[in-house]
Amino acid sequence: VYPGHAGWCPLTGLPTDADLLENRPIFISISKFPAWATRPAVLASAPVVFETLIDEGQTRLQALFYCGYPEKVPGVEVEGGGQFDISGVRSGRVFYAELAQLFGAGLIFGGADAKVYQTIAPYQCGVVDNVGIPGNPGGLGMDIESLQAVGESCKHRLGNTDLDIWQFGPAPAGGESAMNFLMHYNHLNQTRWIFDANVGGYVRYENDPAEPKKFTLSTDKLSGEAIVRQNVILLEAPHKILNSSGTILSFDLTDERGYAYLLRDGAMFKACWSGVFDDYPTTSNRSRPFLFYDCATKEPINFAYGSTWVNVVDPSFWFETSDDFLVAKQPFLGYGE
């Protein structure tokens, strides 16, 4: 069924072309907020997406492409048009270095603050094009062919990293009902995840800053597919504010541990995560994707087969319920010194 030699993607537990496993995983920094900048594109084909705070309740997406690449769907009109298959590529952030190390990944981003760039430059693999419209934050992008070329050309640059860490299988016992979940970063930046057994995952809906109470189905700009995740994770990591204006936030994932929450199959399970090197040393002396395990028994907790969305939250967040939704609220973190 699969071209080439059949292999298994360590980030989804699903079959893939073994030849693609030789390519470097690539993180792309993609706009999420405000909505007028861009609408997320080609997210349906990314096996892992991180959503992270950048400032004042705004978030940014880091889409990891590995085990395969987006495909253009014949007959589907690209929503909003645009010059690039992948549009809205945005600036780099300090914590991108953490993600690059965890997944042995290369980074693609659209510029960066000078101090930020010093931290993430060693992991940069490839550049993006610009439509040349001044003041257009969504004007940076690239085509699918360019993305695959970057993954191929960067595959030996950062050395070998073992990605076969996560386990996939049946859900653990127990868990709290979580058929409907709302991630609330601020009033204008909210995401609903509604579990649909017919598609085997959580379907994503996003609110409109112009009408905050109105949520619309999130679709992939390139393929027109609904964005569905089999796993939605809240990963706790203390955030640090690095400048007086509060625009540079950071957190540590390598050599750190914390609590996490896994939503799968309509239920939520509390867990622990670890990026501590001594917990799982490697022959290549490099970090690996975070471990995900039962806090009491230390046994791995299974992900559902499929793709994962990770919301990195500060431990100051809290849960509440509203209108049949389990709500996670991330408070505004304030400004630095």
Side-chain angles (χ1 to χ4, degrees), residues 53-212:
L53 279 168
I54 52 174
D55 59 80
E56 297 184 336
Q58 298 184 58
T59 52
R60 182 70 49 82
L61 305 179
Q62 298 85 45
L64 181 65
F65 291 96
Y66 186 60
C67 308
Y69 299 94
E71 295 183 1
K72 299 177 182 178
V73 179
V76 173
E77 183 177 348
V78 176
E79 181 182 343
Q83 180 175 337
F84 306 113
D85 298 330
I86 303 171
S87 59
V89 179
R90 299 299 299 274
S91 61
R93 301 285 167 163
V94 173
F95 54 81
Y96 286 12
E98 297 284 309
L99 300 179
Q101 291 177 69
L102 279 181
F103 291 88
L107 300 177
I108 294 177
F109 50 88
D113 174 270
K115 292 183 179 179
V116 172
Y117 186 73
Q118 292 177 2
T119 302
I120 62 178
Y123 306 100
Q124 185 176 15
C125 277
V127 296
V128 290
D129 294 320
N130 195 327
V131 296
I133 303 175
N136 178 15
L140 295 170
M142 65 190 312
D143 291 324
I144 294 170
E145 294 79 10
S146 298
L147 171 61
Q148 184 165 355
V150 169
E152 293 172 350
S153 63
C154 270
K155 62 184 177 183
H156 299 303
R157 179 176 170 186
L158 300 179
N160 180 48
T161 297
D162 296 319
L163 297 177
D164 191 12
I165 296 297
W166 296 347
Q167 294 195 19
F168 300 86
E176 175 183 351
S177 177
M179 298 293 290
N180 303 317
F181 172 68
L182 173 67
M183 186 67 230
H184 183 288
Y185 284 104
N186 69 27
H187 184 56
L188 306 179
N189 185 15
Q190 303 177 58
T191 303
R192 284 178 175 174
W193 295 95
I194 299 178
F195 183 74
D196 185 342
N198 293 322
V199 298
Y202 285 89
V203 183
R204 183 177 185 268
Y205 296 81
E206 185 177 7
N207 76 329
D208 183 349
E211 298 181 69

Side-chain angles (χ1 to χ4, degrees), residues 234-301:
L234 277 72
L235 199 74
E236 287 191 18
H239 286 54
K240 296 169 286 188
I241 304 170
L242 304 182
N243 64 341
S244 59
S245 61
T247 58
I248 301 180
L249 299 178
S250 186
F251 50 80
D252 296 326
L253 296 179
T254 56
D255 209 28
E256 295 289 341
R257 299 185 182 97
Y259 291 112
Y261 299 84
L262 168 66
L263 285 85
R264 55 162 294 179
D265 303 312
M268 182 177 73
F269 306 87
K270 187 173 183 179
C272 284
W273 67 271
S274 174
V276 176
F277 181 79
D278 289 343
D279 287 349
Y280 55 150
T282 68
T283 56
S284 61
N285 291 324
R286 292 185 178 274
S287 299
R288 303 168 76 178
F290 54 82
L291 293 170
F292 204 82
Y293 57 92
D294 183 283
C295 300
T297 66
K298 310 300 182 184
E299 293 297 320
I301 289 181

